[in-house]
Amino acid sequence: MDFTTDPRPLFARATGQLARLVAAVPAERLGDPTPCEEFDIRALLAHLVGGLEAGALLGETGEPRRLAPVTNVPDDGWAAAYEAGRARLTAAWADDAKLDMAVAVPWGEMPGRAYLASGCVLETVAHTWDLSQALGHPLPLDQELGEYALEWARQKLTADRRGEGVPFGPVQPAPEDADAYGRLAAWLGRTVQDAP
C-alpha cells in the first residue's frame, strides 16, 4: 500500500459514508451504548465532530489543538454539525502544499498526508463501525475503505504499539466471517461478535 498518495479522496468517501450513518441516527437512540466503552452514541458523535474541528484548525493554522468533544449540538442537529465539520476540514486541507507540511499531533510529527490518512481516514472508518454496530448495521459499508484502514492500521499501529499514550487496546481475535470493518475493529482492540 502506497501511503504517499493523496488521502483526501478517501477522506471524502469515508466522511460521506459516515455522514449518511449520522443522518440515520434517531434522536431517541442517542443514549444507546457503542462498542467504545467510554461513549454512548451522543458522546461518539460529539467526539467525531470535535475531531473534525481539531483537524480543520490544524489545516487552517498548522497549530495542533487537543481534541475536545463538542457540547452545543441539539439532539436533532448532529447530521448538520457533522456535515459542517467535514466541509470545514475539507476546505482547510484543500491546498496541495499542506499534504507535505509537517504537523505535530499527539502521536508524533508527520506530514499532513499521513495525518489525514491516520488521524482522519482511519479514525473515521473505525468509528463508522462503532456507530454502525450500535445502530444494528442500518447501511452497507464501503469495504474498500475498510481494507485501506485495516492495512494502514496493521502497518502503523502494530500489535506491540499498545498501552500508554495509544488509545487502542490489545489486538483481539476477529471472527472468520468478519468483514474489513470487523477485522479493523478487532485489530484496534474491540470485541467483535460473529456476523449476524
Side-chain angles (χ1 to χ4, degrees):
M1 176 168 283
D2 181 5
F3 294 124
T4 65
T5 59
D6 183 351
R8 292 174 299 185
L10 288 171
F11 174 75
R13 278 173 57 189
T15 57
Q17 172 176 254
L18 185 50
R20 291 186 294 278
L21 200 54
V22 171
V25 176
E28 64 271 15
R29 301 282 308 271
L30 290 170
D32 288 3
T34 74
C36 294
E37 292 181 5
E38 68 271 29
F39 296 144
D40 61 13
I41 290 177
R42 180 183 285 106
L44 177 58
L45 296 176
H47 172 77
L48 290 167
V49 174
L52 291 170
E53 291 182 357
L57 188 65
L58 182 62
E60 291 162 356
T61 68
E63 296 295 320
R65 182 182 116 193
R66 186 165 180 80
L67 192 157
V70 297
T71 57
N72 58 347
V73 178
D75 286 354
D76 63 353
W78 288 107
Y82 189 81
E83 285 289 357
R86 74 186 273 252
R88 180 178 170 198
L89 191 148
T90 298
W93 289 90
D95 181 353
D96 291 348
K98 291 184 179 181
L99 294 177
D100 296 313
M101 170 180 77
V103 297
V105 291
W107 57 95
E109 186 170 303
M110 62 190 62
R113 71 180 70 243
Y115 163 72
L116 289 171
S118 62
C120 297
V121 176
L122 174 61
E123 174 89 354
T124 299
V125 172
H127 285 312
T128 294
W129 182 83
D130 294 326
L131 184 56
S132 179
Q133 184 81 357
L135 295 173
H137 306 287
L139 303 172
L141 300 180
D142 181 333
Q143 293 300 309
E144 188 175 63
L145 284 171
E147 293 290 354
Y148 172 87
L150 177 59
E151 185 64 21
W152 175 272
R154 284 181 172 160
Q155 289 190 28
K156 303 296 183 183
L157 292 169
T158 55
D160 60 330
R161 284 192 65 202
R162 308 300 160 109
E164 189 175 332
V166 178
F168 306 108
V171 173
Q172 299 297 312
E176 286 184 18
D177 61 349
D179 67 3
Y181 288 79
R183 295 192 315 274
L184 173 65
W187 187 261
L188 297 178
R190 307 277 199 275
T191 300
V192 181
Q193 305 297 327
D194 290 336

